[in-house]
Amino acid sequence: MFTSIMAAPAAAVGIEGGKILGSVGAGGIALVLTLILWTGIRDPKGGAGGKGGDGGGGGKKSRIRKRLTSDQAQWVGVAAGTFYMVAGSIWVVGKNLSDAFASVFTGGGFGTAGLGAVSLLLACLMYFRELSPGKAAVTGIIAAGVWAQAGGIWGLPQALILTGAHAIGAT
């Protein structure tokens, strides 16, 4: 009588452990979100398209395919600021910026203002004012750090962003 033991087939190449994006990490996501902000906000420099004395160097004119609106820039900024804090290393600049902004209001110059008041101030600024995309992105990055430190309801954006990133295996 013959008995054979068959080995389990090797794992198929594909999505392993729910990592849809592969091994990205918080630093990688921070880098990509920074690139999105940089390319989606900034007008490209370079040729005006054409030859001659029109300031262009000839060749095709570079242009933005998708320009970020003010709202998009501020929410990409919030996501980027969240990943800056998680990634650490070079990305601590976002947290330092948030700390410096919050200390202006919580340092005693405005009475006993806490981080909740600073969070409310940022939320009002983001809701009631339409900033240029660049200023909206910086406001979003600052808001991410202040909201994370304030806790309470202000910590919800950070929790949602990190839960979503963890669900797709990005962190």
Side-chain angles (χ1 to χ4, degrees), residues 38-138:
W38 183 62
T39 58
I41 291 170
R42 192 167 171 261
D43 285 325
K45 292 183 179 179
K51 297 182 181 176
D54 60 359
K60 284 185 109 175
K61 182 179 177 184
S62 179
R63 61 188 176 116
I64 298 176
R65 288 185 186 210
K66 175 71 174 145
R67 186 170 184 88
L68 293 175
T69 65
S70 178
D71 286 341
Q72 291 170 336
Q74 75 185 9
W75 290 112
V76 172
V78 169
T82 299
F83 284 106
Y84 293 165
M85 289 183 297
V86 173
S89 187
I90 192 172
W91 302 108
V92 298
V93 173
K95 183 180 181 313
N96 294 344
L97 189 62
S98 297
D99 290 344
F101 180 81
S103 69
V104 168
F105 298 99
T106 59
F110 290 92
T112 55
L115 286 174
V118 179
S119 298
L120 187 60
L121 178 123
L122 285 166
C124 289
L125 179 66
M126 293 169 74
Y127 183 76
F128 290 111
R129 233 12 226 167
E130 185 172 349
L131 302 171
S132 67
K135 291 176 183 174
V138 171

Side-chain angles (χ1 to χ4, degrees), residues 85 114-120 143-159:
M85 289 183 297
L115 286 174
V118 179
S119 298
L120 187 60
V146 172
W147 291 349
Q149 293 176 35
I153 194 170
W154 303 109
L156 286 177
Q158 180 186 27

Side-chain angles (χ1 to χ4, degrees), residues 3-7:
T3 58
S4 62
I5 300 174
M6 296 186 70

